[in-house]
Short mmCIF file of all heavy atoms in Angstrom, two decimals:
data_model
loop_
_atom_site.label_atom_id
_atom_site.label_comp_id
_atom_site.label_asym_id
_atom_site.label_seq_id
_atom_site.Cartn_x
_atom_site.Cartn_y
_atom_site.Cartn_z
N MET A 1220 50.94 54.06 14.53
CA MET A 1220 49.51 54.32 14.54
C MET A 1220 48.92 54.17 13.13
O MET A 1220 47.85 53.62 12.96
CB MET A 1220 49.28 55.73 15.10
CG MET A 1220 47.86 56.03 15.34
SD MET A 1220 47.33 55.17 16.81
CE MET A 1220 45.92 56.06 17.24
N LYS A 1221 49.66 54.70 12.16
CA LYS A 1221 49.20 54.60 10.78
C LYS A 1221 49.17 53.15 10.31
O LYS A 1221 48.29 52.74 9.57
CB LYS A 1221 50.11 55.44 9.89
CG LYS A 1221 49.49 55.87 8.60
CD LYS A 1221 50.39 56.85 7.88
CE LYS A 1221 49.67 57.51 6.76
NZ LYS A 1221 50.49 58.46 6.04
N ARG A 1222 50.15 52.36 10.75
CA ARG A 1222 50.20 50.95 10.39
C ARG A 1222 49.01 50.20 10.98
O ARG A 1222 48.47 49.29 10.36
CB ARG A 1222 51.48 50.31 10.90
CG ARG A 1222 52.67 50.58 10.05
CD ARG A 1222 53.83 49.77 10.55
NE ARG A 1222 54.99 50.02 9.72
CZ ARG A 1222 56.11 49.38 9.85
NH1 ARG A 1222 56.25 48.47 10.79
NH2 ARG A 1222 57.10 49.64 9.06
N THR A 1223 48.62 50.57 12.19
CA THR A 1223 47.49 49.91 12.82
C THR A 1223 46.22 50.14 12.03
O THR A 1223 45.44 49.21 11.78
CB THR A 1223 47.30 50.44 14.26
OG1 THR A 1223 48.51 50.25 14.98
CG2 THR A 1223 46.16 49.72 14.97
N TYR A 1224 45.97 51.37 11.61
CA TYR A 1224 44.79 51.67 10.80
C TYR A 1224 44.83 50.95 9.46
O TYR A 1224 43.83 50.43 8.99
CB TYR A 1224 44.63 53.18 10.58
CG TYR A 1224 44.18 53.91 11.81
CD1 TYR A 1224 44.92 54.97 12.31
CD2 TYR A 1224 43.01 53.55 12.47
CE1 TYR A 1224 44.51 55.64 13.44
CE2 TYR A 1224 42.60 54.22 13.60
CZ TYR A 1224 43.34 55.27 14.09
OH TYR A 1224 42.94 55.93 15.20
N LEU A 1225 46.00 50.91 8.86
CA LEU A 1225 46.14 50.22 7.58
C LEU A 1225 45.88 48.72 7.74
O LEU A 1225 45.18 48.10 6.93
CB LEU A 1225 47.53 50.46 7.00
CG LEU A 1225 47.82 49.82 5.65
CD1 LEU A 1225 46.84 50.34 4.59
CD2 LEU A 1225 49.24 50.10 5.23
N LEU A 1226 46.41 48.15 8.81
CA LEU A 1226 46.19 46.73 9.07
C LEU A 1226 44.72 46.44 9.32
O LEU A 1226 44.16 45.48 8.78
CB LEU A 1226 47.03 46.27 10.26
CG LEU A 1226 46.90 44.80 10.64
CD1 LEU A 1226 47.35 43.91 9.50
CD2 LEU A 1226 47.69 44.51 11.90
N LEU A 1227 44.07 47.27 10.11
CA LEU A 1227 42.64 47.09 10.37
C LEU A 1227 41.82 47.23 9.08
O LEU A 1227 40.87 46.48 8.87
CB LEU A 1227 42.15 48.09 11.42
CG LEU A 1227 42.57 47.81 12.85
CD1 LEU A 1227 42.16 48.95 13.76
CD2 LEU A 1227 42.00 46.50 13.35
N LEU A 1228 42.19 48.17 8.25
CA LEU A 1228 41.49 48.35 6.98
C LEU A 1228 41.66 47.12 6.09
O LEU A 1228 40.69 46.64 5.51
CB LEU A 1228 42.02 49.60 6.27
CG LEU A 1228 41.41 49.88 4.90
CD1 LEU A 1228 39.92 50.18 5.02
CD2 LEU A 1228 42.13 51.02 4.23
N LEU A 1229 42.85 46.59 6.01
CA LEU A 1229 43.09 45.41 5.20
C LEU A 1229 42.33 44.19 5.73
O LEU A 1229 41.76 43.42 4.96
CB LEU A 1229 44.58 45.10 5.13
CG LEU A 1229 45.42 46.08 4.31
CD1 LEU A 1229 46.90 45.74 4.43
CD2 LEU A 1229 44.99 46.07 2.86
N VAL A 1230 42.29 44.03 7.05
CA VAL A 1230 41.54 42.93 7.64
C VAL A 1230 40.06 43.08 7.33
O VAL A 1230 39.38 42.13 6.95
CB VAL A 1230 41.80 42.85 9.16
CG1 VAL A 1230 40.83 41.91 9.84
CG2 VAL A 1230 43.23 42.43 9.43
N PHE A 1231 39.55 44.30 7.48
CA PHE A 1231 38.13 44.56 7.19
C PHE A 1231 37.81 44.24 5.73
O PHE A 1231 36.82 43.56 5.44
CB PHE A 1231 37.79 46.01 7.50
CG PHE A 1231 36.40 46.39 7.09
CD1 PHE A 1231 35.31 45.96 7.82
CD2 PHE A 1231 36.19 47.15 5.97
CE1 PHE A 1231 34.02 46.29 7.44
CE2 PHE A 1231 34.92 47.49 5.57
CZ PHE A 1231 33.83 47.07 6.31
N VAL A 1232 38.64 44.69 4.81
CA VAL A 1232 38.40 44.44 3.39
C VAL A 1232 38.47 42.95 3.10
O VAL A 1232 37.63 42.41 2.37
CB VAL A 1232 39.42 45.23 2.53
CG1 VAL A 1232 39.37 44.77 1.08
CG2 VAL A 1232 39.16 46.72 2.63
N PHE A 1233 39.43 42.25 3.68
CA PHE A 1233 39.56 40.81 3.46
C PHE A 1233 38.31 40.07 3.91
O PHE A 1233 37.75 39.26 3.17
CB PHE A 1233 40.79 40.28 4.19
CG PHE A 1233 40.91 38.79 4.13
CD1 PHE A 1233 41.35 38.16 2.98
CD2 PHE A 1233 40.58 38.01 5.23
CE1 PHE A 1233 41.44 36.78 2.91
CE2 PHE A 1233 40.68 36.64 5.18
CZ PHE A 1233 41.11 36.02 4.01
N PHE A 1234 37.86 40.35 5.13
CA PHE A 1234 36.68 39.64 5.64
C PHE A 1234 35.42 40.04 4.88
O PHE A 1234 34.53 39.23 4.67
CB PHE A 1234 36.50 39.88 7.14
CG PHE A 1234 37.44 39.07 7.97
CD1 PHE A 1234 38.37 39.68 8.78
CD2 PHE A 1234 37.41 37.69 7.93
CE1 PHE A 1234 39.24 38.93 9.54
CE2 PHE A 1234 38.27 36.93 8.68
CZ PHE A 1234 39.19 37.55 9.49
N ASN A 1235 35.34 41.28 4.46
CA ASN A 1235 34.20 41.72 3.67
C ASN A 1235 34.14 40.98 2.34
O ASN A 1235 33.08 40.52 1.92
CB ASN A 1235 34.27 43.23 3.45
CG ASN A 1235 32.98 43.79 2.88
OD1 ASN A 1235 31.93 43.16 2.97
ND2 ASN A 1235 33.06 44.95 2.28
N LEU A 1236 35.26 40.83 1.70
CA LEU A 1236 35.30 40.09 0.43
C LEU A 1236 34.98 38.62 0.65
O LEU A 1236 34.30 38.00 -0.17
CB LEU A 1236 36.66 40.25 -0.24
CG LEU A 1236 36.96 41.64 -0.80
CD1 LEU A 1236 38.40 41.70 -1.32
CD2 LEU A 1236 35.99 42.01 -1.90
N GLN A 1237 35.47 38.05 1.73
CA GLN A 1237 35.18 36.64 2.02
C GLN A 1237 33.69 36.43 2.23
O GLN A 1237 33.13 35.44 1.79
CB GLN A 1237 35.94 36.18 3.26
CG GLN A 1237 37.41 36.03 3.05
CD GLN A 1237 37.74 34.90 2.08
OE1 GLN A 1237 36.90 34.12 1.69
NE2 GLN A 1237 38.99 34.83 1.67
N CYS A 1238 33.04 37.36 2.90
CA CYS A 1238 31.61 37.23 3.15
C CYS A 1238 30.81 37.35 1.86
O CYS A 1238 29.80 36.68 1.68
CB CYS A 1238 31.14 38.30 4.14
SG CYS A 1238 31.75 38.04 5.81
N GLN A 1239 31.26 38.19 0.95
CA GLN A 1239 30.53 38.39 -0.29
C GLN A 1239 30.67 37.21 -1.23
O GLN A 1239 29.73 36.86 -1.95
CB GLN A 1239 31.02 39.65 -1.00
CG GLN A 1239 30.61 40.93 -0.30
CD GLN A 1239 31.14 42.15 -1.02
OE1 GLN A 1239 31.79 42.05 -2.05
NE2 GLN A 1239 30.86 43.32 -0.47
N TYR A 1240 31.81 36.57 -1.26
CA TYR A 1240 32.08 35.54 -2.26
C TYR A 1240 32.12 34.13 -1.70
O TYR A 1240 32.56 33.22 -2.36
CB TYR A 1240 33.40 35.84 -2.97
CG TYR A 1240 33.36 37.14 -3.72
CD1 TYR A 1240 34.14 38.22 -3.32
CD2 TYR A 1240 32.52 37.31 -4.81
CE1 TYR A 1240 34.08 39.42 -4.00
CE2 TYR A 1240 32.46 38.51 -5.48
CZ TYR A 1240 33.25 39.55 -5.07
OH TYR A 1240 33.19 40.74 -5.74
N SER A 1241 31.64 33.93 -0.49
CA SER A 1241 31.70 32.60 0.09
C SER A 1241 30.38 31.85 -0.06
O SER A 1241 30.00 31.08 0.79
CB SER A 1241 32.09 32.68 1.57
OG SER A 1241 31.08 33.36 2.29
N GLY A 1242 29.68 32.10 -1.16
CA GLY A 1242 28.42 31.40 -1.39
C GLY A 1242 28.65 29.91 -1.53
O GLY A 1242 29.58 29.46 -2.18
N ASN A 1243 27.78 29.14 -0.90
CA ASN A 1243 27.94 27.70 -0.92
C ASN A 1243 27.04 27.03 -1.95
O ASN A 1243 26.96 25.82 -2.01
CB ASN A 1243 27.69 27.11 0.47
CG ASN A 1243 26.33 27.47 1.00
OD1 ASN A 1243 25.51 28.03 0.29
ND2 ASN A 1243 26.08 27.14 2.26
N GLY A 1244 26.33 27.81 -2.74
CA GLY A 1244 25.51 27.24 -3.79
C GLY A 1244 24.17 26.73 -3.33
O GLY A 1244 23.42 26.18 -4.12
N ASN A 1245 23.85 26.86 -2.06
CA ASN A 1245 22.58 26.39 -1.53
C ASN A 1245 21.57 27.53 -1.47
O ASN A 1245 21.07 27.87 -0.42
CB ASN A 1245 22.77 25.79 -0.13
CG ASN A 1245 23.59 24.53 -0.16
OD1 ASN A 1245 23.61 23.84 -1.17
ND2 ASN A 1245 24.26 24.23 0.93
N GLU A 1246 21.30 28.12 -2.60
CA GLU A 1246 20.36 29.23 -2.64
C GLU A 1246 18.94 28.70 -2.48
O GLU A 1246 18.59 27.66 -3.02
CB GLU A 1246 20.48 29.99 -3.95
CG GLU A 1246 21.80 30.71 -4.10
CD GLU A 1246 21.87 31.51 -5.38
OE1 GLU A 1246 20.82 31.69 -6.03
OE2 GLU A 1246 22.96 31.95 -5.73
N SER A 1247 18.15 29.43 -1.77
CA SER A 1247 16.75 29.06 -1.55
C SER A 1247 15.87 30.01 -2.35
O SER A 1247 15.97 31.21 -2.21
CB SER A 1247 16.42 29.15 -0.07
OG SER A 1247 15.06 28.89 0.12
N ILE A 1248 15.06 29.44 -3.21
CA ILE A 1248 14.17 30.22 -4.05
C ILE A 1248 12.75 29.82 -3.72
O ILE A 1248 12.45 28.63 -3.59
CB ILE A 1248 14.47 30.00 -5.54
CG1 ILE A 1248 15.91 30.45 -5.83
CG2 ILE A 1248 13.48 30.74 -6.41
CD1 ILE A 1248 16.37 30.16 -7.22
N GLY A 1249 11.90 30.80 -3.57
CA GLY A 1249 10.52 30.54 -3.20
C GLY A 1249 9.71 29.91 -4.31
O GLY A 1249 10.22 29.59 -5.38
N PRO A 1250 8.44 29.72 -4.07
CA PRO A 1250 7.58 29.08 -5.06
C PRO A 1250 7.39 29.96 -6.30
O PRO A 1250 7.59 31.17 -6.25
CB PRO A 1250 6.25 28.91 -4.31
CG PRO A 1250 6.28 29.94 -3.25
CD PRO A 1250 7.72 30.11 -2.87
N ASP A 1251 7.02 29.33 -7.41
CA ASP A 1251 6.79 30.08 -8.64
C ASP A 1251 5.61 31.05 -8.50
O ASP A 1251 5.63 32.15 -9.03
CB ASP A 1251 6.51 29.13 -9.80
CG ASP A 1251 7.74 28.34 -10.20
OD1 ASP A 1251 8.86 28.82 -9.93
OD2 ASP A 1251 7.58 27.25 -10.75
N ASN A 1252 4.59 30.62 -7.81
CA ASN A 1252 3.41 31.46 -7.59
C ASN A 1252 3.20 31.61 -6.10
O ASN A 1252 3.43 30.70 -5.33
CB ASN A 1252 2.17 30.81 -8.22
CG ASN A 1252 2.28 30.68 -9.71
OD1 ASN A 1252 2.74 31.59 -10.38
ND2 ASN A 1252 1.87 29.54 -10.24
N GLY A 1253 2.70 32.76 -5.72
CA GLY A 1253 2.45 33.00 -4.31
C GLY A 1253 1.48 34.15 -4.15
O GLY A 1253 0.93 34.67 -5.12
N SER A 1254 1.29 34.53 -2.92
CA SER A 1254 0.36 35.62 -2.61
C SER A 1254 1.05 36.62 -1.72
O SER A 1254 1.88 36.28 -0.88
CB SER A 1254 -0.87 35.08 -1.89
OG SER A 1254 -1.53 34.14 -2.71
N LEU A 1255 0.71 37.86 -1.91
CA LEU A 1255 1.24 38.95 -1.11
C LEU A 1255 0.05 39.69 -0.52
O LEU A 1255 -0.85 40.12 -1.23
CB LEU A 1255 2.08 39.88 -1.98
CG LEU A 1255 2.72 41.08 -1.30
CD1 LEU A 1255 3.72 40.61 -0.25
CD2 LEU A 1255 3.41 41.95 -2.33
N VAL A 1256 0.03 39.81 0.80
CA VAL A 1256 -1.06 40.51 1.48
C VAL A 1256 -0.48 41.78 2.08
O VAL A 1256 0.37 41.73 2.96
CB VAL A 1256 -1.70 39.63 2.58
CG1 VAL A 1256 -2.79 40.39 3.30
CG2 VAL A 1256 -2.25 38.35 1.98
N ILE A 1257 -0.93 42.91 1.58
CA ILE A 1257 -0.45 44.20 2.08
C ILE A 1257 -1.59 44.86 2.84
O ILE A 1257 -2.66 45.08 2.28
CB ILE A 1257 0.01 45.11 0.92
CG1 ILE A 1257 1.12 44.41 0.14
CG2 ILE A 1257 0.47 46.45 1.44
CD1 ILE A 1257 1.54 45.11 -1.12
N VAL A 1258 -1.35 45.14 4.11
CA VAL A 1258 -2.37 45.75 4.95
C VAL A 1258 -1.75 46.95 5.62
O VAL A 1258 -0.73 46.84 6.30
CB VAL A 1258 -2.89 44.76 6.01
CG1 VAL A 1258 -3.93 45.41 6.88
CG2 VAL A 1258 -3.44 43.51 5.36
N GLY A 1259 -2.33 48.10 5.43
CA GLY A 1259 -1.83 49.30 6.08
C GLY A 1259 -2.63 49.64 7.31
O GLY A 1259 -3.82 49.35 7.41
N GLY A 1260 -1.95 50.23 8.28
CA GLY A 1260 -2.65 50.65 9.49
C GLY A 1260 -3.06 49.48 10.36
O GLY A 1260 -2.33 48.53 10.54
N ALA A 1261 -4.26 49.56 10.87
CA ALA A 1261 -4.76 48.51 11.77
C ALA A 1261 -5.53 47.47 10.98
O ALA A 1261 -6.48 47.79 10.27
CB ALA A 1261 -5.65 49.13 12.83
N MET A 1262 -5.14 46.22 11.09
CA MET A 1262 -5.82 45.12 10.41
C MET A 1262 -6.96 44.65 11.32
O MET A 1262 -6.77 43.80 12.18
CB MET A 1262 -4.85 43.99 10.11
CG MET A 1262 -5.44 42.93 9.22
SD MET A 1262 -4.24 41.75 8.59
CE MET A 1262 -3.88 40.79 10.02
N LYS A 1263 -8.13 45.22 11.15
CA LYS A 1263 -9.24 44.96 12.07
C LYS A 1263 -10.28 44.00 11.53
O LYS A 1263 -11.10 43.50 12.28
CB LYS A 1263 -9.92 46.28 12.44
CG LYS A 1263 -9.02 47.23 13.18
CD LYS A 1263 -9.73 48.51 13.52
CE LYS A 1263 -8.80 49.44 14.26
NZ LYS A 1263 -9.41 50.72 14.57
N SER A 1264 -10.26 43.74 10.24
CA SER A 1264 -11.30 42.92 9.64
C SER A 1264 -10.96 41.43 9.74
O SER A 1264 -9.86 41.01 9.35
CB SER A 1264 -11.49 43.31 8.17
OG SER A 1264 -12.38 42.43 7.54
N ASP A 1265 -11.89 40.65 10.24
CA ASP A 1265 -11.69 39.20 10.29
C ASP A 1265 -11.64 38.60 8.90
O ASP A 1265 -11.00 37.56 8.69
CB ASP A 1265 -12.81 38.54 11.09
CG ASP A 1265 -12.70 38.81 12.59
OD1 ASP A 1265 -11.59 39.15 13.04
OD2 ASP A 1265 -13.72 38.66 13.29
N ALA A 1266 -12.28 39.23 7.93
CA ALA A 1266 -12.26 38.73 6.56
C ALA A 1266 -10.84 38.76 6.00
O ALA A 1266 -10.42 37.84 5.28
CB ALA A 1266 -13.20 39.55 5.68
N ILE A 1267 -10.06 39.80 6.32
CA ILE A 1267 -8.67 39.90 5.86
C ILE A 1267 -7.84 38.79 6.49
O ILE A 1267 -7.06 38.11 5.82
CB ILE A 1267 -8.07 41.28 6.19
CG1 ILE A 1267 -8.81 42.38 5.43
CG2 ILE A 1267 -6.59 41.32 5.86
CD1 ILE A 1267 -8.41 43.78 5.84
N ILE A 1268 -8.02 38.59 7.78
CA ILE A 1268 -7.25 37.56 8.47
C ILE A 1268 -7.59 36.17 7.93
O ILE A 1268 -6.70 35.36 7.67
CB ILE A 1268 -7.52 37.63 9.99
CG1 ILE A 1268 -7.01 38.97 10.54
CG2 ILE A 1268 -6.87 36.47 10.72
CD1 ILE A 1268 -7.42 39.26 11.96
N ASN A 1269 -8.86 35.89 7.74
CA ASN A 1269 -9.28 34.58 7.22
C ASN A 1269 -8.77 34.35 5.80
O ASN A 1269 -8.33 33.25 5.45
CB ASN A 1269 -10.80 34.44 7.28
CG ASN A 1269 -11.31 34.36 8.70
OD1 ASN A 1269 -10.59 33.92 9.60
ND2 ASN A 1269 -12.54 34.79 8.91
N ARG A 1270 -8.82 35.38 4.96
CA ARG A 1270 -8.31 35.26 3.59
C ARG A 1270 -6.81 35.02 3.59
O ARG A 1270 -6.29 34.21 2.82
CB ARG A 1270 -8.67 36.51 2.78
CG ARG A 1270 -8.21 36.49 1.36
CD ARG A 1270 -8.97 35.47 0.54
NE ARG A 1270 -8.54 35.58 -0.84
CZ ARG A 1270 -8.40 34.54 -1.64
NH1 ARG A 1270 -8.71 33.34 -1.23
NH2 ARG A 1270 -7.99 34.70 -2.87
N PHE A 1271 -6.12 35.71 4.47
CA PHE A 1271 -4.68 35.54 4.61
C PHE A 1271 -4.34 34.10 4.98
O PHE A 1271 -3.44 33.48 4.39
CB PHE A 1271 -4.14 36.50 5.67
CG PHE A 1271 -2.68 36.35 5.94
CD1 PHE A 1271 -1.74 36.91 5.11
CD2 PHE A 1271 -2.24 35.64 7.04
CE1 PHE A 1271 -0.38 36.78 5.35
CE2 PHE A 1271 -0.89 35.49 7.30
CZ PHE A 1271 0.03 36.06 6.45
N ILE A 1272 -5.04 33.54 5.93
CA ILE A 1272 -4.81 32.16 6.36
C ILE A 1272 -5.11 31.19 5.23
O ILE A 1272 -4.36 30.23 5.00
CB ILE A 1272 -5.64 31.83 7.62
CG1 ILE A 1272 -5.11 32.65 8.80
CG2 ILE A 1272 -5.60 30.34 7.94
CD1 ILE A 1272 -5.98 32.59 10.04
N ASP A 1273 -6.18 31.45 4.48
CA ASP A 1273 -6.51 30.59 3.34
C ASP A 1273 -5.41 30.63 2.27
O ASP A 1273 -5.02 29.60 1.73
CB ASP A 1273 -7.85 31.00 2.72
CG ASP A 1273 -9.03 30.67 3.63
OD1 ASP A 1273 -8.88 29.82 4.52
OD2 ASP A 1273 -10.10 31.29 3.42
N LEU A 1274 -4.94 31.84 1.95
CA LEU A 1274 -3.88 31.98 0.94
C LEU A 1274 -2.58 31.32 1.39
O LEU A 1274 -1.82 30.82 0.56
CB LEU A 1274 -3.63 33.46 0.63
CG LEU A 1274 -4.72 34.19 -0.14
CD1 LEU A 1274 -4.43 35.69 -0.17
CD2 LEU A 1274 -4.82 33.65 -1.55
N ALA A 1275 -2.33 31.33 2.69
CA ALA A 1275 -1.09 30.76 3.22
C ALA A 1275 -1.11 29.24 3.19
O ALA A 1275 -0.05 28.61 3.25
CB ALA A 1275 -0.87 31.25 4.64
N GLY A 1276 -2.29 28.65 3.12
CA GLY A 1276 -2.36 27.19 3.08
C GLY A 1276 -2.94 26.59 4.34
O GLY A 1276 -2.77 25.41 4.60
N GLY A 1277 -3.60 27.40 5.14
CA GLY A 1277 -4.23 26.87 6.35
C GLY A 1277 -3.50 27.29 7.61
O GLY A 1277 -2.49 28.00 7.58
N LEU A 1278 -4.03 26.81 8.71
CA LEU A 1278 -3.49 27.22 10.02
C LEU A 1278 -2.09 26.67 10.30
O LEU A 1278 -1.35 27.25 11.09
CB LEU A 1278 -4.45 26.77 11.14
CG LEU A 1278 -5.80 27.48 11.16
CD1 LEU A 1278 -6.70 26.85 12.20
CD2 LEU A 1278 -5.61 28.96 11.45
N ASP A 1279 -1.69 25.59 9.65
CA ASP A 1279 -0.38 24.99 9.90
C ASP A 1279 0.68 25.42 8.90
O ASP A 1279 1.81 24.90 8.92
CB ASP A 1279 -0.48 23.46 9.89
CG ASP A 1279 -1.33 22.94 11.03
OD1 ASP A 1279 -1.34 23.57 12.10
OD2 ASP A 1279 -2.00 21.90 10.85
N ALA A 1280 0.38 26.37 8.04
CA ALA A 1280 1.31 26.80 6.99
C ALA A 1280 2.43 27.68 7.57
O ALA A 1280 2.25 28.37 8.57
CB ALA A 1280 0.58 27.57 5.92
N ALA A 1281 3.58 27.64 6.92
CA ALA A 1281 4.70 28.52 7.29
C ALA A 1281 4.44 29.90 6.70
O ALA A 1281 4.10 30.03 5.53
CB ALA A 1281 6.01 27.96 6.76
N ILE A 1282 4.59 30.94 7.51
CA ILE A 1282 4.29 32.31 7.09
C ILE A 1282 5.49 33.20 7.38
O ILE A 1282 6.11 33.09 8.43
CB ILE A 1282 3.05 32.85 7.85
CG1 ILE A 1282 1.83 32.01 7.51
CG2 ILE A 1282 2.81 34.31 7.53
CD1 ILE A 1282 0.61 32.34 8.32
N VAL A 1283 5.80 34.08 6.44
CA VAL A 1283 6.86 35.06 6.62
C VAL A 1283 6.21 36.42 6.75
O VAL A 1283 5.41 36.82 5.89
CB VAL A 1283 7.85 35.05 5.42
CG1 VAL A 1283 8.86 36.16 5.57
CG2 VAL A 1283 8.51 33.71 5.30
N VAL A 1284 6.55 37.15 7.80
CA VAL A 1284 6.04 38.50 8.02
C VAL A 1284 7.19 39.47 7.85
O VAL A 1284 8.22 39.32 8.50
CB VAL A 1284 5.41 38.64 9.42
CG1 VAL A 1284 4.92 40.05 9.65
CG2 VAL A 1284 4.27 37.65 9.59
N ILE A 1285 7.01 40.46 6.98
CA ILE A 1285 8.05 41.46 6.74
C ILE A 1285 7.50 42.82 7.17
O ILE A 1285 6.80 43.48 6.40
CB ILE A 1285 8.48 41.49 5.26
CG1 ILE A 1285 8.94 40.09 4.85
CG2 ILE A 1285 9.57 42.53 5.05
CD1 ILE A 1285 9.21 39.95 3.39
N PRO A 1286 7.79 43.25 8.39
CA PRO A 1286 7.29 44.55 8.83
C PRO A 1286 8.13 45.68 8.25
O PRO A 1286 9.36 45.60 8.22
CB PRO A 1286 7.43 44.48 10.36
CG PRO A 1286 8.55 43.54 10.57
CD PRO A 1286 8.51 42.55 9.44
N THR A 1287 7.49 46.68 7.74
CA THR A 1287 8.19 47.85 7.22
C THR A 1287 7.49 49.11 7.72
O THR A 1287 6.33 49.07 8.13
CB THR A 1287 8.21 47.87 5.68
OG1 THR A 1287 6.86 47.91 5.22
CG2 THR A 1287 8.90 46.65 5.12
N ALA A 1288 8.20 50.19 7.66
CA ALA A 1288 7.62 51.46 8.09
C ALA A 1288 7.83 52.49 7.00
O ALA A 1288 8.71 52.42 6.21
CB ALA A 1288 8.26 51.93 9.38
#
């Protein structure tokens, strides 16, 4: 039983280290300049939505939404 736990621990550590150090060098870095729109509560104003779309680059722009609580 003790050997089983030790083996599982070693496997876990091995895979954890592999995941941490298996970077392939293809890091993605965002643009040098950008905009951050922080809206708390209910976003009810059309002016906020329109400004957000303008800052993003228009209706066809790629947008990332990061919800937090």
Side-chain angles (χ1 to χ4, degrees):
M1220 188 75 160
K1221 203 172 193 180
R1222 280 186 179 185
T1223 304
Y1224 287 124
L1225 181 60
L1226 180 62
L1227 287 174
L1228 178 64
L1229 289 174
V1230 169
F1231 174 75
V1232 169
F1233 174 76
F1234 283 118
N1235 191 20
L1236 289 175
Q1237 288 293 351
C1238 290
Q1239 289 179 2
Y1240 298 113
S1241 64
N1243 57 8
N1245 293 333
E1246 293 183 12
S1247 176
I1248 299 174
D1251 291 336
N1252 297 318
S1254 300
L1255 180 63
V1256 178
I1257 301 173
V1258 179
M1262 189 169 73
K1263 297 180 180 178
S1264 173
D1265 287 340
I1267 296 172
I1268 296 170
N1269 292 333
R1270 181 69 176 143
F1271 177 80
I1272 292 170
D1273 290 340
L1274 289 171
L1278 292 174
D1279 294 328
I1282 297 173
V1283 175
V1284 178
I1285 304 172
T1287 61

